[in-house]
Every structure is written in structure tokens, then in C-alpha cells.
Amino acid sequence: MAKLPVDAEKIIEQFGPSLHFNKPEGIQGKDEPDKIVKTHCCFCGMQCGIKLLAKNDKVVGFEPWEEFPFNHGRLCPKGVLRYMQDNHQDRLLNPIVRKENVGFENTSWDNAMDKTVSEIKRIQEKYGKDSFAMLSGVSLSNEKSYMIGKFARVALQTKNLDYNGRLCMVSAGAGNKKAFGLDRTSNNYEDLEKAEVIIVAGANVSETFPTLTYWLWRARDNGAKLIVVDPRMIPLARTADIHLDLRPGTDSALYGTMLNYLVQNDMLDHEFINNYTSGFQETIDSVKEYSLEWCEEITGIDKQKIKETAELWGKAKTSFLLHARGIEHHTKGVDNVLGCINLVLATGRIGKPYCGYGTITGQGNGQGGREHGHKCDQLPGNRDIENSEHRKYIADVWGINEEDLPRKGLSAYEIIEAIHRGEIKGLLSICFNPLVSLPNNNYVREALEKLEFYAGIDFFLSETLRYADVVFPGSLQEEEEGTVTTAEGRVVRIRKVVSPPKNAREDTKIITELAERLGVKDKFNYSSSEDIFNELRVASKGGTADYYGITYEKLEENFGVFWPCPDLDHPGTPRLWEDKKFKTPDGKAHFNPAPYRLSADTIDDEFPILLTTGRVVSQYLSGTQTRRIGKLVKQFPEPLLEIHPVLAKKYDIKQDELVKVTTKRASAEFIANIVETIREDTVFIPYHWPGKKSANQLTGGHLDPISKIPEFKVSACSLQPLGVIKKVDINLDSYKSI
Ligand SMILES: Nc1nc2c(c(=O)[nH]1)N[C@H]1C(S)=C(S)[C@@H](COP(=O)(O)OP(=O)(O)OC[C@H]3O[C@@H](n4cnc5c(=O)[nH]c(N)nc54)[C@H](O)[C@@H]3O)O[C@H]1N2
Ligand SMILES: Nc1nc2c(c(=O)[nH]1)N[C@H]1C(S)=C(S)[C@@H](COP(=O)(O)OP(=O)(O)OC[C@H]3O[C@@H](n4cnc5c(=O)[nH]c(N)nc54)[C@H](O)[C@@H]3O)O[C@H]1N2
Ligand code: SF4
Ligand SMILES: [Mo]
């Protein structure tokens, strides 16, 4: 029988109203704290230093942590208000179980554990080990990420574990591994300061990594030229020297043309190319036909601007290239990344002061979480799950036989497809809200309805968890000791500030108890987070992401340590590749051909407009956390359809009018916001909302063949005004001034 979601009314009936604008208890701003703890923000990959204030085991506020060297006390609107989740009345305080026709009801830990473990056993006995899958997330610390990788392989013995980074940084990870054999930003962000030219491609830095702008402004003060590649005139583009306002889905044409221009005009670092790289000739051959005129036609960017960009990049002595999801959320996400790397290698500007390249990591622990075994094809230390030497090493660390270590499993969206096919029958999720964040979410919903058993661990009841049979109340970042790795590659300490409230428990305790009940207690014998970290250090030793030389003590003493850090007396590596010894099999940096291809969805008469999706500054990811903080909700209460005045006029769409947006997947209604800061052929919708407000009703499940990332950034759509004006209570003027 199809499993129905527990609806909102039932939840309110059972657990009280969820009033977004309520002030959680204990937060009056004036409470004298009895504890001030230096830790980090739980949200994005910047992992800004912050001091949390606590009183009577409750977080009551925050203070800037001015000494922390990345953000020097600066915080963005989310960082400032993050503590309002802690005592929020929607916190899950007890394990809950589904009761058919009633909703959820509170239960004991014992019951919730018993039910979950007996269902795991039943499903695996009936359908095989791999029929039970796990989905995880990288808002979790390194310790939790490592433990979950081990739990899925050793306790569940399933190959089907994947994580929400699959929707995020995997295209960059795959590109970096191909080119450098290692997946990390090459330099810490202080090296931005004296870069002569900076390219920011597909990254809305002012809204998504606001504190990083500090380093960009410092570079600007020193005279750096800034080039922004984005279909929208994002806040950063408004002050850039060049804004390349390309058509979504055409990045590889731009980077290929720039490479060809560098070759044609001999703006190359021959010494670097000859001595330290491979694959140059076949790569430049693949773009030799790419003229400025052709590029203008494909990308829609004025060819003069493309030429100026190539000249600036070609002539600079120092430079930094940064990109984020704008170029990575594509069926050719890996190619886009490789196109950028080719430009960096052609000019040899890497491994030197003020010369850097990197993807800007998204989630709080997007960097560390993608190194220690969450991924369906990976083992700790960024080892390969199909490599027999790597398998043997990790099997030894875990005290199991190599043959018992599962092999490569399905990626996140493929797990949903396998549920549809009836191959996966059970699911355990932690720190992931796929119903909002995966593409084509009507299809995801149908998959959840098909599961025989579904359990999840979260501190709020996410939209996905309404389909669960059992929900375990887990912990926030500040409720457990641990470490995370920032976008710079800096491993930092996360401090336990308070205990989980009432009957909620630390995530690691929940995983440990499940492991014990699944019969592998001896493999999960940890007495503290530091214990887990010490095992992780050994598991990562010798891998590309080597943490062996990092200890909790060293992290405290040094404001964090940059990996790789192979020995206890090693200081860490803020800048990679100074020795030019790349981690590829031949020790060279690899050029890779990245020719232009079409996106999976192409425009036609029926769907003539490009739809792209992304973020706003005040909301975070699927919104489970930030949609509960009134002041953030007020900044941007619901998703708006950004549309250029020319396109709006063509379809007779008025400001604040409801518009029906249709793609091959579905139709949905959004309020129009007419802005001149977007291309005339493109509309944009932020994705942080669920249900009828979800942008992911419209997106498609097309994946990059290598990274398996979904193509969130390109859909073909049609628009139809509905003649209804629906004013949103939102101060757009203040929003636009970001
Ligand atoms: N406020 C806020 N901050 C966040 C998050 C959040 O949810 N909210 N999430 C965090 C996470 S996990 C992530 S991954 C990052 C994401 O950070 P970003 O990648 O900066 O965020 P997005 O808004 O997804 O996309 C960035 C830009 O890509 C542009 N774009 C769309 N299509 C294309 C294209 O084809 N080519 C190019 N060059 N650009 C294109 C969009 O116009 C958009 O401005 O943010 C992190 N920080
Ligand atoms: N259309 C479109 N879709 C997108 C994107 C886009 O640009 N456009 N971006 C994609 C990207 S880059 C990303 S990263 C994904 C993110 O998508 P998700 O990972 O699904 O989003 P989150 O909101 O982070 O969901 C995490 C859940 O984990 C919980 N959680 C957070 N921290 C912890 C913790 O420490 N412990 C436990 N137990 N639970 C925790 C939160 O309450 C939340 O319910 O969305 C993707 N989806
Ligand atoms: S920039 Fe990121 S880490 Fe820093 S305060 Fe904002 S959300 Fe938190
Ligand atoms: Mo992300």
C-alpha cells in the first residue's frame, strides 16, 4: 500500500503549532551567559568563526570571534540568526513512529531502535543487503561523516550509501581529481589579496558566501580586475570590471574559446606546460575551431567582452579562478570545471603566491564530508572503493575482510530510481531532505511512498521525514564535539556548547546504538568524538586527503590546520602544488578536452525559455532550518520568479503577478519579480521551499555522466501569466541593496 505523508494539520494537532515568527524560549538577547564558546557557524562552507553564548545548557546568543583569521568576526544574516534554531519549539524531542491513520506518536528510544533494526533485518534477509540504502549529508562533522561511511559498509553491509554532496560539489571533485589527482581548493583565501585578475564563475558570492567578499574587496583595493560569469547581474557583478552574462548551459564554449585565444596569441606558460602537465595538445586541438564569433553566438556574450577577458587573463602575472554551482549543476558539470582548470594550467598560475584555483565548497562540511567515505564510490582519505589496495587498507583499519567490504553503489538520484524499480525497499537518512532538494520531486515523492520502511535522523521534521516510519531526534552542530573542513581546506574544531534538548540525542550516539543492535558493537567502540577522529586520522593516512598529522590539540592551537598534513610535526598545507608534484598517476597536472555540448533540456517552440535555479541570502538549502527563523523568513518569504522587463512585456506579465511556469516535468505557480539584472531569455527561481512552492517540481533528473550531479541550472520552460496579483510582504529595496 502506498505510504502517505503525515499532513501538517496532524503534526500541529500532535506537537503544537509551528509558528515561524515565535521567539524560542531563552532568547531575549539580554540573558547573561554562563559560558562563551568559540566554534563555527553551522551553515555554509565558509565555516566562519563565531562565539556562542550559553546559559543553563541553552544557547542564548552569539558574539563575533574577531581573532579567527578567515572572517575576523564578520558574519552574514544566517550566521547571526543561526542560534535561533537551538531552542526552537519545532525541535524533535522524542523518537516518533508512524501510526497509520493517526500520524506520528512519541515512542521510547528502545521501541524506535527495535522497530528500525528489525525492519533492516527483515528487508535485508528478504531482498538482499543492498536493498537497504542510506542517504547522508555534509552538514555533518568529519567524525559523523566518517562514522556513517563505516556504519553503512560494516553495520548495514550495503553498497548503496550516498550523500547530498552529490547535488553539490561532485562535478568539481571529479574535475579536480582528473586534473590534479586531489580534490581541494589550491590556496587559502588570503592568496586572493594580491591576485591581479580574479574570475568568479557561477558563484553568487555576496549571497551564498557573504564573508568571502571581504577577501575580494581586499583584492579590489589592491587593484585586482574582477570578472564575473553569470546569467544574472548578481551583486558582485555590479562592481565587476567585466560581467560575462552568458546563456545558462554554455560555460564550456566560453572557457574553450578563451583557451583557443590564449593559444592563438601565445599567452601561455610554455615552461610550466612542458615540464609539469600532460594532455595539452589534444585539449587545444579540441577547441581550435572556437572563434570569438562562434562563442558570441553560443553564449550570447558580446565577443568584445570575451576578448577582453581572455586578454586580461592571458597577460596577468597573478590570478585566482573561483567557481561554484552555477557551472557545476549541469549534465556537463565536470567538463565546465575542466574548462576552467585548462585556463589555469595554460597560464601556469598555480602553486605560487597569489595564484590559485578552486571550487567554493557549499555545505558547512562539504569539503571534509566528501573526503571520508560518504560517497557511493569512496573510502576515507578520498580513497577509491574499487581500488584493491585502498580496500585492503581500510578493511584492515576497520578489522574486517576485504571481501566483506561492499563495492561501488548507486548515487543519490539513482537510489530514487532504484526504489522505483523495486530494487531498494528500505532507507535510512540523516541530514538530507531529498523531497525538496532532488530534482523532479514528484518522482521523488512517489519513491518515498513505495518504500517498505523508512527511518530518518534530524532535529526538525523535514518534508521528506513526513514519509518516515521512524524518526530519531538528532543533534545540531553545537551539540557535539567534532571537526569540519572549510572551503579553504582548513580543518577546524567544532565545540559542544550545549546538550541535545530533552530526549534528543547526539547523532553519533544514535548511529552507535544502531550499529550495536546490528551486531557490530566491537567496531563502534568509541568513547568520544576525539576517538572517532583518531581512527579517521589513521584511515586517511596515505590517502590524498591525509589528516594523519592533525590532532584536536593542534587545531585549537593554530586556528585549524590545512590538509594534507601527513605527520604530527607537519604544519599543514595552506597552498598546494608549490612542489609541482601533482597527485595524478604520472605526477603531472592534466589538461582534459572539454568541448561544448548541449544541455539535456533544450529550448523549442513549446518550451522557449531557459529556467535556472539557485539561492537567496536569507535562506539555506531546503530551508528546513532557515524557514523556521522568522527574521530570515521575513527577508524573503517565498520564491519569486526573476524575469527581465523585455521578457515580461512579451508575455504581458506584471510585477507581482502569479505566473504558471511549465517544464516537461510539471507546472507550478510563482510570483513575478521584474528585474533588469537577468538575461532576457532566462528566468530564475530560488529553490528553498517545499511542495507547491518548490522549484524542483520543474527541474529534471538528468545527470552528468561522470559526477552524477543533476542539471539544476538548465531547464526549458514556458510562461503563462494568470492575471492574479499577489503582493508579497517583502522589502525588496533592502534585499536589492545587498
Ligand atoms: N544564502 C545561502 N548561502 C548558501 C547556501 C544557501 O542555500 N543559501 N547554500 C550553500 C551551498 S550548499 C552551496 S552549494 C552554495 C552555492 O553557491 P552558489 O553556487 O553561489 O549558488 P547558486 O545560487 O546555486 O548559483 C550561483 C549562480 O549561478 C548562476 N548560474 C545559473 N546558471 C548558470 C550557468 O549556466 N553558468 C554560470 N556561469 N552561472 C550560472 C546563477 O545565476 C547564480 O547566481 O551556497 C552555500 N551558501
Ligand atoms: N533546484 C535546485 N535544487 C538544488 C540546488 C539548486 O541550486 N537548485 N542545490 C543543491 C545543493 S548544492 C545542495 S547542497 C542540496 C542540499 O539539499 P539537502 O541536503 O536536502 O538540504 P538541507 O536543507 O541541508 O537538508 C538537510 C537536512 O538535515 C538536517 N540537518 C542539518 N544539520 C544536521 C546535523 O548536524 N544533524 C542531523 N541529524 N541533521 C542535520 C536539516 O534539518 C535538514 O532537514 O540541494 C540541492 N538542490
Ligand atoms: S558566510 Fe556562511 S559560515 Fe559565514 S556566517 Fe554566513 S552562512 Fe555562516
Ligand atoms: Mo550545495
Side-chain angles (χ1 to χ4, degrees):
M1 196 184 74
K3 183 180 291 179
L4 295 173
V6 176
D7 64 36
E9 283 70 39
K10 285 212 166 117
I11 291 166
I12 292 169
E13 218 172 86
Q14 288 167 314
F15 300 103
S18 158
L19 294 175
H20 295 313
F21 298 94
N22 257 13
K23 271 196 175 172
E25 53 178 302
I27 297 165
Q28 303 303 325
K30 291 197 181 81
D31 287 349
E32 262 316 299
D34 52 30
K35 201 155 114 186
I36 300 181
V37 185
K38 290 174 190 156
T39 185
H40 294 267
C41 173
C42 60
F43 291 131
C44 85
M46 298 300 107
Q47 285 301 290
C48 296
I50 187 171
K51 290 184 192 166
L52 288 183
L53 314 183
K55 187 184 170 105
N56 299 333
D57 209 21
K58 283 190 190 309
V59 176
V60 293
F62 77 97
E63 268 177 12
W65 176 11
E66 284 169 13
E67 299 77 31
F68 188 72
F70 166 71
N71 63 311
H72 295 292
R74 293 175 185 81
L75 295 162
C76 81
K78 294 182 302 304
V80 165
L81 293 168
R82 61 162 301 208
Y83 73 96
M84 300 193 86
Q85 305 169 79
D86 287 69
N87 311 308
H88 198 285
Q89 65 178 53
D90 288 357
R91 282 292 301 263
L92 291 168
L93 300 174
N94 291 290
I96 53 178
V97 286
R98 163 183 293 269
K99 202 166 177 200
E100 235 28 90
N101 303 321
V102 175
F104 286 118
E105 65 180 16
N106 287 340
T107 190
S108 67
W109 275 97
D110 228 19
N111 265 338
M113 285 281 165
D114 272 352
K115 174 141 177 81
T116 303
V117 170
S118 66
E119 280 296 292
I120 292 171
K121 286 185 175 158
R122 181 187 69 76
I123 287 173
Q124 290 193 321
E125 267 160 31
K126 191 162 171 200
Y127 306 106
K129 295 280 186 198
D130 296 332
S131 66
F132 203 94
M134 187 161 182
L135 286 171
S136 178
V138 284
S139 294
L140 299 174
S141 64
N142 287 321
E143 290 74 1
K144 295 182 194 180
S145 301
Y146 170 78
M147 195 181 190
I148 286 161
K150 182 173 172 185
F151 173 82
R153 274 73 179 236
V154 176
L156 290 177
Q157 295 171 6
T158 179
K159 66 177 184 180
N160 290 321
L161 159 72
D162 205 36
Y163 80 134
N164 63 1
R166 186 67 56 194
L167 318 183
C168 191
M169 288 117 356
V170 282
S171 296
N176 274 264
K177 272 188 153 177
K178 263 175 172 270
F180 304 114
L182 181 146
D183 171 22
R184 201 206 94 181
T185 289
S186 67
N187 305 42
N188 71 334
Y189 291 144
E190 285 178 27
D191 262 344
L192 279 164
E193 200 174 344
K194 290 194 189 145
E196 269 178 48
V197 174
I198 300 172
I199 294 184
V200 177
N204 183 6
V205 175
S206 327
E207 297 202 58
T208 52
F209 310 106
T211 52
L212 176 56
T213 50
Y214 166 74
W215 293 102
L216 293 171
W217 299 142
R218 283 184 73 112
R220 296 290 270 160
D221 288 347
N222 289 326
K225 299 281 182 202
L226 178 64
I227 297 151
V228 170
V229 189
D230 201 300
R232 300 186 302 145
M233 187 179 269
I234 48 172
L236 196 67
R238 292 171 210 173
T239 60
D241 295 278
I242 304 179
H243 173 212
L244 301 175
D245 52 343
L246 84 179
R247 198 170 275 134
T250 62
D251 285 83
S252 50
L254 172 66
Y255 311 133
T257 304
M258 281 174 64
L259 180 63
N260 192 29
Y261 189 91
L262 299 179
V263 174
Q264 300 303 323
N265 294 279
D266 198 14
M267 294 174 170
L268 302 167
D269 183 339
H270 294 284
E271 201 260 337
F272 180 82
I273 295 170
N274 292 338
N275 293 322
Y276 304 113
T277 71
S278 62
F280 179 64
Q281 194 57 47
E282 56 175 306
T283 301
I284 62 169
D285 285 349
S286 72
V287 294
K288 64 176 189 285
E289 309 289 332
Y290 288 18
S291 66
L292 294 172
E293 291 70 25
W294 172 82
C295 189
E296 176 175 296
E297 199 182 310
I298 299 291
T299 61
I301 310 168
D302 180 341
K303 65 174 189 262
Q304 192 55 31
K305 288 205 283 184
I306 305 167
K307 184 176 166 196
E308 276 171 40
T309 304
E311 294 262 340
L312 273 179
W313 185 259
K315 289 180 182 160
K317 300 246 168 349
T318 56
S319 61
F320 221 114
L321 194 156
L322 291 169
H323 57 72
R325 307 306 86 77
I327 74 159
E328 300 163 27
H329 278 159
H330 295 271
T331 48
K332 53 221 170 146
V334 178
D335 281 352
N336 289 342
V337 168
L338 292 171
C340 286
I341 295 175
N342 290 339
L343 292 174
V344 174
L345 297 181
T347 48
R349 288 197 300 263
I350 193 149
K352 296 190 263 192
Y354 315 117
C355 293
Y357 155 80
T359 184
I360 317 176
T361 293
Q363 303 107 317
N365 194 28
Q367 183 65 53
R370 73 181 190 257
E371 295 157 2
H372 299 299
H374 270 255
K375 292 163 95 164
C376 62
D377 54 356
Q378 183 222 49
L379 291 171
N382 223 336
R383 286 186 161 86
D384 179 357
I385 204 162
E386 292 293 332
N387 175 310
S388 48
E389 245 175 73
H390 294 186
R391 292 171 59 79
K392 174 87 180 69
Y393 182 79
I394 295 298
D396 285 349
V397 176
W398 289 349
I400 59 169
N401 292 324
E402 193 222 303
E403 310 82 72
D404 295 334
L405 190 58
R407 292 194 166 262
K408 181 177 168 182
L410 296 171
S411 69
Y413 193 76
E414 290 172 323
I415 286 178
I416 301 296
E417 291 173 331
I419 298 171
H420 272 277
R421 290 195 303 273
E423 289 162 24
I424 288 177
K425 302 283 190 184
L427 179 69
L428 174 64
S429 75
I430 176 168
C431 193
F432 197 171
N433 189 12
L435 187 54
V436 180
S437 55
L438 278 175
N440 196 5
N441 56 24
N442 290 318
Y443 181 75
V444 177
R445 178 177 299 109
E446 284 160 24
L448 294 171
E449 286 169 1
K450 283 188 176 170
L451 284 170
E452 287 189 12
F453 179 77
Y454 172 33
I457 307 171
D458 206 309
F459 39 76
F460 290 130
L461 192 67
S462 70
E463 289 73 19
T464 311
L465 288 177
R466 289 183 184 190
Y467 291 81
D469 298 283
V470 177
V471 183
F472 298 101
S475 52
L476 281 163
Q477 195 199 52
E478 55 268 39
E479 292 167 357
E480 268 206 271
E481 295 287 344
T483 60
V484 297
T485 309
T486 75
E488 292 182 289
R490 188 198 304 255
V491 185
V492 295
R493 264 300 257 122
I494 297 301
R495 301 310 309 257
K496 176 167 181 159
V497 184
V498 290
S499 317
K502 305 238 164 89
N503 286 326
R505 282 192 189 165
E506 289 88 351
D507 290 334
T508 56
K509 290 215 174 119
I510 302 172
I511 299 289
T512 307
E513 186 166 345
L514 284 170
E516 282 177 17
R517 287 174 182 246
L518 285 164
V520 287
K521 182 170 186 208
D522 57 319
K523 306 279 186 265
F524 288 80
N525 235 336
Y526 306 110
S527 58
S528 64
S529 296
E530 191 168 8
D531 250 14
I532 306 173
F533 187 74
N534 285 335
E535 188 180 298
L536 176 161
R537 290 173 49 216
V538 175
S540 74
K541 189 174 161 65
T544 51
D546 193 333
Y547 281 42
Y548 182 67
I550 304 176
T551 61
Y552 272 20
E553 210 180 353
K554 213 159 145 183
L555 293 177
E556 294 277 2
E557 279 167 10
N558 301 290
F559 293 114
V561 175
F562 290 83
W563 71 264
C565 180
D567 309 303
L568 285 172
D569 51 10
H570 192 289
T573 319
R575 188 184 298 127
L576 295 168
W577 316 130
E578 290 191 287
D579 57 2
K580 311 240 179 345
K581 288 185 182 145
F582 296 96
K583 295 289 180 190
T584 49
D586 63 3
K588 298 196 164 178
H590 290 200
F591 281 94
N592 288 276
Y596 169 68
R597 285 185 280 125
L598 290 176
S599 304
D601 244 16
T602 47
I603 51 172
D604 53 24
D605 289 348
E606 197 185 348
F607 301 107
I609 296 152
L610 289 163
L611 162 68
T612 192
T613 62
R615 295 158 164 75
V616 296
V617 69
S618 53
Q619 285 298 315
Y620 191 66
L621 302 180
S622 71
T624 335
Q625 296 170 264
T626 42
R627 279 186 280 109
R628 289 189 156 85
I629 299 177
K631 283 182 181 161
L632 294 178
V633 175
K634 257 194 154 160
Q635 279 190 41
F636 213 100
E638 62 176 292
L640 302 177
L641 173 83
E642 271 182 32
I643 179 169
H644 192 275
V646 170
L647 190 59
K649 193 160 177 229
K650 184 169 170 196
Y651 287 94
D652 198 19
I653 292 169
K654 316 242 164 8
Q655 176 66 28
D656 300 321
E657 183 169 2
L658 262 189
V659 178
K660 184 166 153 192
V661 186
T662 305
T663 65
K664 286 185 189 135
R665 274 70 57 187
S667 291
E669 294 169 13
F670 296 92
I671 298 170
N673 183 27
I674 303 178
V675 293
E676 286 176 9
T677 49
I678 187 162
R679 285 180 60 86
E680 289 177 20
D681 56 6
T682 303
V683 292
F684 171 88
I685 307 174
Y687 90 100
H688 313 283
W689 289 266
K692 291 203 162 98
K693 291 182 183 175
S694 170
N696 277 329
Q697 297 171 91
L698 302 170
T699 52
H702 315 290
L703 308 181
D704 180 292
I706 300 170
S707 70
K708 309 282 171 147
I709 207 168
E711 191 147 63
F712 291 122
K713 293 292 187 267
V714 184
S715 300
C717 74
S718 66
L719 302 176
Q720 189 196 334
L722 295 174
V724 181
I725 300 288
K726 204 175 158 231
K727 191 98 186 123
V728 193
D729 179 19
I730 169 176
N731 186 345
L732 279 176
D733 290 338
S734 71
Y735 181 70
K736 278 175 181 161
S737 69
I738 294 157

